[in-house]
Amino acid sequence: MPKYIVSRCLHGIAGIGLLSLAGCAQTPERTVSPARAPAAEAPQSMPVEETALSPETSLDAPADDAAPALREEAPLRYVVKKGDTLWGIANRYLLEPWQWPEIWYVNDQVRNPHQIFPGDVLTLVMRDGRPAIVREDLSTEYLSPQIREVPLDQAIPTIPLDVIRDFLRSSRVVSAEELARAPYVLGFADPHLIEGAGAEVYVKNMPADPLPSYDAVRIGQKFIDPDSGEMLGWEAVPVAGVDLRRLGKPATALIAHSYRETRAGDRLIEPEPEAFAADFYPRPAPADLAGRIISVFDGVSQIGQYQVVTLSRGSDSGLVPGHVLDIFQAGRTARDPYSGRAEPLPELYAGTIMVFKVDERVSFALVMNAQREIHVLDRVRGLGNGRE
């Protein structure tokens, strides 16, 4: 790890190492993330000015083999910019970005300690022999305890939302039970085989207490757990947004907006919330959790960085948004040159994914890095389970 000195801190405090710097720059009371013990009480806060850090003199701090591994080029001070992601910032500091919660030092000046905003200044310090990232507040002369309230939608996201925006408007997974009770398009007011926005449609099987609006979907592929053979659900491809006009047998509805042509037989299901909750942070999935990639958004055969995949595990297996898993190439074989038989080969680590959306029996994840080719049916496991 690079060696540094502290040039100065206000009131004549100088050259006493990053631990003293943390004492000058932070508020009297600090708490760490839930996995860490509370830090010792810091000295009384005082006015501070920006410090210069130089890689010339040793920083005397005890080593800790259990501490997350920092990159050699990790910045001592970083100003958060618009367009940053939490994963990207973590990747600047750590060899394993999912370890971010291990070094993120909870700051009581921010109501949600895992939210970072453009303009925030992050500083790398040492606390009890371990690296920590603290958030400076240079907007005020005195760093007294206070609560900063900033709209959540201004916080930087954990993953790049631009790369999943199309997916969020795309397919979802519904259960066979949900489909069995769903209303469906019976026909059209005008004698057409297909219709688009502005057309009236007749709907059969409308419940007695209907919703004012529905998503019209077309049923796609069936999702099966490759390991257990269990039915996980059906792909539901969005077709249109439909507004109920009149109850009856059949009911009458209007196609409010259209993504594809609407056909007789398309199902009507409850709309998904328009807002996507992006306020999660990376952390390892349980080590004993294992599943498979069962599909990839856009149907490509080889999967690379920032592509969306569907996993054969969901909330009923303990997955939540932010969970990070390893990917392993599965089903690899080599033909024995003497017997001619296909012999299985060990699975190889292929990359890392982060879950961003969870249903009960499946979940959706973004490939954060890809070291080898990734394919449908490759295995996913909790971190540390199988990687050499």
Side-chain angles (χ1 to χ4, degrees), residues 78-85 89 116-122 156:
Y78 181 74
V79 180
V80 180
K81 302 174 181 62
K82 186 177 181 180
D84 278 340
T85 63
I89 292 175
I116 301 174
F117 297 83
D120 281 347
V121 179
L122 309 181
I156 65 167

Side-chain angles (χ1 to χ4, degrees), residues 286-343:
D288 59 350
L289 192 148
R292 298 256 198 163
I293 295 175
I294 57 175
S295 75
V296 55
F297 179 56
D298 280 345
V300 297
S301 59
Q302 293 186 2
I303 305 167
Q305 186 183 35
Y306 293 156
Q307 286 186 291
V308 176
V309 297
T310 307
L311 307 182
S312 63
R313 297 291 181 268
S315 60
D316 60 355
S317 298
L319 278 178
V320 298
H323 269 159
V324 180
L325 301 97
D326 284 336
I327 311 168
F328 295 86
Q329 289 181 341
R332 301 170 61 245
T333 62
R335 184 170 296 278
D336 188 309
Y338 294 103
S339 69
R341 291 193 297 267
E343 299 290 341

Side-chain angles (χ1 to χ4, degrees), residues 16 37 50 56 58 69 90 104 124 160 175 178 192 251 291-292 297 304 320 339 360 372 379:
I16 57 176
E50 182 179 338
E56 296 175 356
S58 171
W104 176 242
L124 177 63
S175 67
E178 187 176 0
H192 298 154
R292 298 256 198 163
F297 179 56
V320 298
S339 69
E360 183 179 0
R372 293 182 173 89
R379 297 187 184 276

Side-chain angles (χ1 to χ4, degrees), residues 151-348:
L152 186 60
D153 59 5
Q154 294 181 18
I156 65 167
T158 300
I159 55 179
L161 298 183
D162 286 346
V163 301
I164 65 170
R165 187 165 284 115
D166 287 343
F167 167 81
L168 293 174
R169 294 192 292 261
S170 186
S171 303
R172 49 194 284 196
V173 177
V174 295
S175 67
E177 295 79 9
E178 187 176 0
L179 289 179
R181 62 175 181 266
Y184 58 89
V185 175
L186 178 65
F188 308 104
D190 294 319
H192 298 154
L193 295 178
I194 60 175
E195 278 289 10
E200 281 195 339
V201 300
Y202 297 123
V203 178
K204 190 174 180 180
N205 205 30
M206 189 66 75
D209 52 345
L211 299 172
S213 299
Y214 288 88
D215 282 345
V217 299
R218 187 163 301 137
I219 304 308
Q221 64 178 311
K222 181 192 297 186
F223 290 128
I224 302 291
D225 187 324
D227 298 312
S228 68
E230 181 183 9
M231 169 69 171
L232 300 176
W234 290 89
E235 178 186 32
V237 181
V239 169
V242 176
D243 294 338
L244 180 63
R245 284 290 188 252
R246 293 180 297 277
L247 283 175
K249 295 186 178 181
T252 303
L254 179 73
I255 300 177
H257 51 271
S258 183
Y259 312 117
R260 298 170 177 83
E261 72 281 356
T262 301
R263 301 174 183 172
D266 287 342
R267 305 278 181 166
L268 272 56
I269 61 177
E270 182 177 352
E272 284 196 302
E274 293 185 2
F276 171 67
D279 57 338
F280 53 85
Y281 61 97
R283 58 225 196 253
D288 59 350
L289 192 148
R292 298 256 198 163
I293 295 175
I294 57 175
S295 75
V296 55
F297 179 56
D298 280 345
V300 297
S301 59
Q302 293 186 2
I303 305 167
Q305 186 183 35
Y306 293 156
Q307 286 186 291
V308 176
V309 297
T310 307
L311 307 182
S312 63
R313 297 291 181 268
S315 60
D316 60 355
S317 298
L319 278 178
V320 298
H323 269 159
V324 180
L325 301 97
D326 284 336
I327 311 168
F328 295 86
Q329 289 181 341
R332 301 170 61 245
T333 62
R335 184 170 296 278
D336 188 309
Y338 294 103
S339 69
R341 291 193 297 267
E343 299 290 341
L345 297 176
E347 296 177 351
L348 285 178

